[in-house]
Amino acid sequence: MKQLILNEPGHLSLREVDMDLQLAADQALVKVHRIGVCGTDIHAFGGNQPFFSYPRVLGHELGLEVVKIGEQVSNVEVGDKCSLEPYFNVKEGQAARLGKPNCNEFISVFGVHEDGGMQEFVKVPARYLHPSQKLSYDQLALVETLAIGYHAVQRAEVKSTDKVLVIGAGPIGLAALQFTGVLQADTVVMDINQDRLDFCANLGVHGVINSLTSNPLEELSKLFDGDLPTVVFDCTGNPKSMMSAFEYPSHGGKLVFVGLFQGEVNFHDPSFHKKELTLFASRNALSKDFDEIIALIEAGQIDTQPWITHKASVDEVVDVFEKWTKPESKVIKAMIEMS
């Protein structure tokens, strides 16, 4: 079968490999049809992904078809189209016992800590598969990206009365604003990339702010009729942005860090206490998040069509992948077609 492997930073290659088709009782053999390219893949290609080793088969945003199941598998059947929840709990830890397997101490992320889905067939624990009778493989490959934003919105307990700021108009920021939109919360998006802000403006957001060309606090006050956001999501993974984000929530507001970076976050403690801010980290997503997102897409409440801006077949990926990492390519979401 064909397999894309990242041998070292900047060096992606396509090769033919053999595969053992024997399954454990709880496994499923799946055929990979679509692979969404995410920030993790791009960071790994650039050599700046934390907790990562080479060589590695990337890919955890997947549209899959079940072709074989182990004898104990009951949640999927052969022929099912599925999305994959790629956060595998190697063993149960304290967080998992408390109902938070997304931040369990013993997680192996498919395509990051272990080889992932940039290959024609893979074996996965079947309990992490989420089937749909209606969605296309393209849509199923987007569920994991959406899940990161969905989980962050759930963490913040966003309501229709909230005024929301999403910082960062990349895929994770786009995912967050999709679900604040479902909840009918007025949402403003801030970024330094005008092309991405223009894209967001066409999604029906309350407003957009280019932080390079305007004063964010002044613009927020105008857009929210003199108020500040009650909930702020920073989806950038940029330390300067994350530390500036403490300025934007209202008194009594919430700040959610969805993106992360390798370093320390500093903030002005008197201001933090004066506002009585609540600070959240948001990591991965829960199993129920995947099922709820699939139901929302099936019901037509989430439109994934505008997301996919670039596509390539598996045979073309080695030649185009580096171009996808460049801002001038204007990629929102690139999709690899394995079949």
Side-chain angles (χ1 to χ4, degrees), residues 38 40-41 49-52 56-61 84-90 101-104 106-117 128 144 148 283-285:
C38 77
T40 299
D41 303 325
Q49 174 63 30
F51 315 117
F52 194 86
R56 177 68 68 225
V57 178
L58 303 173
H60 61 267
E61 299 179 359
L84 178 72
E85 175 190 345
Y87 330 118
F88 300 166
N89 280 257
V90 178
N102 61 299
C103 59
N104 189 39
F106 307 105
I107 280 183
S108 178
V109 178
F110 194 63
V112 181
H113 306 127
E114 61 182 84
D115 284 345
Y128 295 111
E144 196 275 338
I148 303 299
R283 184 186 181 194
N284 298 330

Side-chain angles (χ1 to χ4, degrees), residues 192-203:
I192 60 174
N193 186 319
Q194 190 60 47
D195 289 327
R196 292 207 166 191
L197 290 173
D198 293 341
F199 180 85
C200 291
N202 293 325
L203 298 178

Side-chain angles (χ1 to χ4, degrees), residues 28-283:
L29 176 67
V30 293
K31 179 177 176 61
V32 179
H33 286 268
R34 296 290 187 276
I35 309 154
V37 177
C38 77
T40 299
D41 303 325
I42 290 170
H43 293 153
F45 185 85
N48 51 19
Q49 174 63 30
F51 315 117
F52 194 86
S53 60
Y54 302 85
R56 177 68 68 225
V57 178
L58 303 173
H60 61 267
E61 299 179 359
L62 305 173
L64 307 168
E65 176 189 1
V66 178
V67 296
K68 186 179 179 181
I69 57 175
E71 58 188 20
Q72 293 179 4
V73 174
S74 59
N75 64 310
V76 293
E77 298 178 352
V78 171
D80 280 351
K81 292 181 176 181
C82 299
S83 181
L84 178 72
E85 175 190 345
Y87 330 118
F88 300 166
N89 280 257
V90 178
K91 62 179 179 178
E92 186 179 65
Q94 182 179 2
R97 292 197 303 273
L98 294 172
K100 296 184 176 182
N102 61 299
C103 59
N104 189 39
E105 302 95 301
F106 307 105
I107 280 183
S108 178
V109 178
F110 194 63
V112 181
H113 306 127
E114 61 182 84
D115 284 345
M118 286 192 183
Q119 47 193 330
E120 288 186 272
F121 296 91
V122 289
K123 292 186 285 188
V124 296
R127 66 184 180 275
Y128 295 111
L129 291 170
H130 295 268
S132 170
Q133 300 301 314
K134 297 181 180 180
L135 301 190
S136 68
Y137 290 119
D138 281 348
Q139 290 173 310
L140 288 164
L142 287 170
V143 171
E144 196 275 338
T145 295
L146 288 164
I148 303 299
Y150 184 84
H151 182 68
V153 171
Q154 296 297 304
R155 288 274 287 150
E157 298 180 330
V158 173
K159 300 176 177 62
S160 62
T161 53
D162 277 311
K163 298 176 179 181
V164 177
L165 170 64
V166 174
I167 307 172
I172 302 305
L174 291 173
L177 70 86
Q178 291 275 328
F179 297 109
T180 61
V182 168
L183 295 166
Q184 299 184 326
D186 287 344
T187 302
V188 170
V189 183
M190 185 163 72
D191 204 299
I192 60 174
N193 186 319
Q194 190 60 47
D195 289 327
R196 292 207 166 191
L197 290 173
D198 293 341
F199 180 85
C200 291
N202 293 325
L203 298 178
V205 296
H206 187 66
V208 297
I209 298 172
N210 188 321
S211 57
L212 283 181
T213 60
S214 61
N215 183 307
L217 285 171
E218 290 180 2
E219 291 299 312
L220 285 168
S221 182
K222 289 178 185 177
L223 289 165
F224 288 134
D225 299 322
D227 288 339
L228 289 175
T230 54
V231 184
V232 176
F233 297 95
D234 192 295
C235 306
T236 66
N238 178 284
K240 183 178 179 180
S241 174
M242 291 168 68
M243 285 181 264
S244 296
F246 286 89
E247 301 176 24
Y248 305 131
S250 64
H251 283 247
K254 302 171 184 176
L255 172 59
V256 187
F257 284 157
V258 192
L260 76 156
F261 73 101
Q262 288 286 88
E264 297 180 354
V265 173
N266 301 303
F267 58 89
H268 184 61
D269 187 52
S271 176
F272 180 76
H273 273 80
K274 181 181 179 181
K275 286 187 171 183
E276 198 181 50
L277 296 182
T278 302
L279 177 63
F280 292 89
S282 184
R283 184 186 181 194

Side-chain angles (χ1 to χ4, degrees), residues 283-304:
R283 184 186 181 194
N284 298 330
L286 296 170
S287 184
K288 71 177 185 65
D289 297 336
F290 283 75
D291 296 330
E292 290 168 4
I293 291 165
I294 287 172
L296 285 169
I297 302 173
E298 289 179 343
Q301 291 186 262
I302 296 293
D303 180 14
T304 61

